[in-house]
Amino acid sequence: MTEPAADLTRALEGIGVPDRITTPIGTFEFFDGVPRPDTTRNLYDGLDHLRGVEVFLNAVPGASLVAMRRGLRSVGIDGLGVIGITEPRANSGSYFLTPNTETTYATMFIDLHDGPVVIEPPTESLCVVDDFWFRYVADMGIAGPDRGAGGKYLFLPPGYDGAEPEGYFVYRTPTFTNWVVLRALGGVEAIKQTRVYRLSDAASPPEPRFVNLAELTFNTVHANDFSFFEEVDELVQEEPADAIDPERAGQLAAIGIRHGRTFAPDDRLRAILDTAARTAAGISRALVYFPRNREGFVFEDSSWKEAFVGGSHEFLAGHARLLDARTRFHYFATVITPAMAHAQVGAGSAYAYTAEDAQGRILDGGKTYRLTLPPNPPAKNFWSVDVYDTQTRSLLQTDNPYPSLMSLSGTVATEPDGSTVLWFGPTAPSGKESNWIQTVPGKSWFPMLRLYGPLQPWFDKEWQPSELDEVRAS
């Protein structure tokens, strides 16, 4: 039999703490389980740092839309009467998270503080409304209840208890501010069919004013330093306290961000939060460029990665939230809708990206790479490849404002076997100009492959792009 004293000694080893422990956030000293004075201060600094990191990772969605709104406001996209549009299509002039250069976008924010808002999307369109915490509210157009035929969508503010008129697709949203993004298959003229107005003006809706964002230069990407928390505080102050769950609200409150209270950290906490933001931004970049979960990859033994992990627009796997997947997506992308999270055969779009070459090395804008797309790319409509800046996650700024190639252009050459070889580098290989995307020496970059209307071979993993092979000068 084991002596009782020996059992208690072993138990103490599990429930006690040694006099000195070394951790990733510091070395801490105790006297018989009680933290010494310096350790107490350091532990609280460490706790504030950890809370700041967690707030960043969990609040990236909200900060992203605050930055988006600030960017749009800086160029006059503010209020229901003004809609931003990329005419003819998006380019690399401004900082947006991974836009594509193939389609015309329109975007705006609607504010429900002054009452319900009506949106009439274009016909044959793909339009989405997300709330201010970047959660899905509604699809309009082809993926919505109007099925692309057009209709009137009515958005009601939090706590609305008025009548719901007939003739509308009605949605209630947990936040007063909501982001609207519109795409129309008919391009610019189709986008300009959009109407947005107060329900109170339904009898005589005003004409909107369209501002061409493609001609302007501005930033819509959230901060990676202390000001990130100021972006989040802006959102928290505007929206109802119960717009987010108690757990996330509690994380925010722990660092001083509370609805109805001034966020005013002292110098100590401000410095800690600045470091926390920079740490969390580094973690976010690891999640984006080098995920450690194989579910984040499209194929076995390949570096091509999924933009959306798990197939849920709420980032749920059963009852569990995929926290890393949520941070990863929102750190380099925008727009939340089930249609993006779970593409269907022949509908929507599929995405794959990579930030490394065939040997697992970081892509270098001063080198030349080759990417081979096998014959018969599984896209009902077309395929495209856009190139992005790894720092800003925005379109790479080069001599060409459209750093992309697509099958619709009619200029991309194919090989005799039906495959397509694309080239990336600071200069075009001789004779390959039509299949080349410029990169920038001294900068990294990453490509994103999009299949519009993905077909069965993509879902069955029967069609697979090559890795990016570095091509050395002969």
Side-chain angles (χ1 to χ4, degrees):
M1 296 180 61
T2 304
E3 292 295 326
D7 287 343
L8 287 175
T9 299
R10 279 194 292 271
L12 182 59
E13 292 175 356
I15 65 175
V17 62
D19 287 345
R20 182 183 179 89
I21 58 173
T22 300
T23 78
I25 62 170
T27 297
F28 306 115
E29 296 184 349
F30 302 81
F31 174 71
D32 199 23
V34 179
R36 295 184 181 275
D38 286 348
T39 284
T40 298
R41 287 189 293 272
N42 292 337
L43 282 169
Y44 278 122
D45 286 350
L47 177 60
D48 289 338
H49 175 79
L50 293 174
R51 288 261 167 79
V53 168
E54 286 297 319
V55 165
F56 187 107
L57 297 176
N58 290 330
V60 162
S64 184
L65 279 189
V66 170
M68 176 74 74
R69 187 179 66 174
R70 284 186 181 179
L72 294 179
R73 281 178 169 176
S74 74
V75 291
I77 312 300
D78 193 15
L80 294 183
V82 187
I83 302 175
I85 184 172
T86 57
E87 185 174 353
R89 50 201 176 103
N91 60 43
S92 62
S94 294
Y95 294 149
F96 280 92
L97 294 177
T98 54
N100 70 67
T101 64
E102 293 77 62
T103 55
T104 301
Y105 287 96
T107 188
M108 68 184 304
F109 282 85
I110 59 172
D111 186 344
L112 304 177
H113 278 98
D114 293 328
V117 169
V118 178
I119 300 178
E120 297 183 25
T123 57
E124 293 301 304
S125 63
L126 295 165
C127 310
V128 180
V129 176
D130 291 325
D131 78 5
F132 211 13
W133 276 105
F134 229 140
R135 296 168 298 201
Y136 172 72
V137 175
D139 280 298
M140 303 181 293
I142 294 171
D146 71 281
R147 297 292 184 260
K152 296 181 179 181
Y153 288 75
L154 177 61
F155 295 91
L156 304 177
Y160 180 80
D161 58 3
E164 294 186 11
E166 296 184 356
Y168 297 89
F169 301 112
V170 180
Y171 292 86
R172 292 177 177 269
T173 171
T175 60
F176 287 100
T177 295
N178 295 267
W179 184 47
V180 182
V181 60
L182 308 104
R183 290 186 294 169
L185 302 184
V188 173
E189 292 307 312
I191 282 286
K192 290 185 175 180
Q193 298 173 6
T194 305
R195 295 293 180 268
V196 184
Y197 51 88
R198 298 277 174 206
L199 178 63
S200 57
D201 294 327
S204 182
E207 291 288 319
R209 179 168 66 89
F210 293 93
V211 175
N212 188 8
L213 301 177
E215 296 176 345
L216 304 172
T217 301
F218 56 102
N219 173 46
T220 70
V221 180
H222 66 79
N224 280 192
D225 57 14
F226 172 78
S227 53
F228 173 93
F229 300 103
E230 295 176 315
E231 292 170 340
V232 175
D233 181 62
E234 183 176 332
L235 164 54
V236 169
Q237 300 311 322
E238 289 186 22
E239 299 299 343
D242 61 357
I244 54 172
D245 61 275
E247 195 74 19
R248 193 152 44 159
Q251 289 182 339
L252 294 167
I255 62 167
I257 299 176
R258 298 178 179 86
H259 179 77
R261 298 190 187 182
T262 300
F263 176 51
D266 59 20
D267 290 344
R268 179 199 69 87
L269 183 55
R270 186 185 183 94
I272 288 172
L273 292 180
D274 183 71
T275 302
R278 297 175 190 276
T279 301
I283 293 170
S284 300
R285 290 172 184 273
L287 293 173
V288 170
Y289 299 127
F290 298 104
R292 59 184 178 179
N293 190 325
R294 285 308 305 178
E295 290 183 1
F297 293 78
V298 183
F299 310 100
E300 291 291 331
D301 302 319
S302 169
S303 72
W304 288 97
K305 301 160 185 70
E306 298 274 9
F308 240 115
V309 176
S312 164
H313 69 282
E314 295 180 304
F315 302 98
L316 289 173
H319 187 60
R321 184 87 62 195
L322 301 176
L323 297 177
D324 288 353
R326 182 175 65 184
T327 299
R328 174 183 169 188
F329 177 85
H330 284 288
Y331 194 76
F332 85 125
T334 58
V335 185
I336 286 294
T337 167
M340 282 181 60
H342 189 66
Q344 302 294 318
V345 175
S349 48
Y351 308 80
Y353 71 98
T354 186
E356 55 192 295
D357 69 8
Q359 280 69 49
R361 297 172 299 209
I362 298 170
L363 297 173
D364 184 338
K367 298 178 180 179
T368 298
Y369 300 88
R370 178 180 56 233
L371 167 65
T372 301
L373 304 180
N376 303 313
K380 177 182 177 181
N381 301 316
F382 66 98
W383 61 260
S384 70
V385 173
D386 293 87
V387 167
Y388 300 96
D389 183 325
T390 49
Q391 278 282 16
T392 66
R393 292 89 71 208
S394 303
L395 288 165
L396 187 66
Q397 295 180 341
T398 67
D399 296 332
N400 184 347
Y402 305 108
S404 60
L405 291 168
M406 59 178 170
S407 57
L408 277 184
S409 68
T411 61
V412 176
T414 57
E415 301 296 308
D417 67 352
S419 65
T420 303
V421 179
L422 306 182
W423 301 84
F424 308 84
T427 58
S430 179
K432 308 298 183 183
E433 291 80 5
S434 66
N435 287 35
W436 166 69
I437 300 178
Q438 185 180 16
T439 58
V440 181
K443 286 198 64 59
S444 189
W445 57 278
F446 68 97
M448 184 172 293
L449 169 67
R450 290 178 172 90
L451 302 175
Y452 291 91
L455 299 177
Q456 196 64 51
W458 174 258
F459 297 97
D460 292 341
K461 315 296 184 185
E462 295 174 355
W463 184 93
Q464 180 176 332
S466 76
E467 299 299 294
L468 285 155
D469 294 304
E470 182 183 342
V471 180
R472 300 182 183 273
S474 57

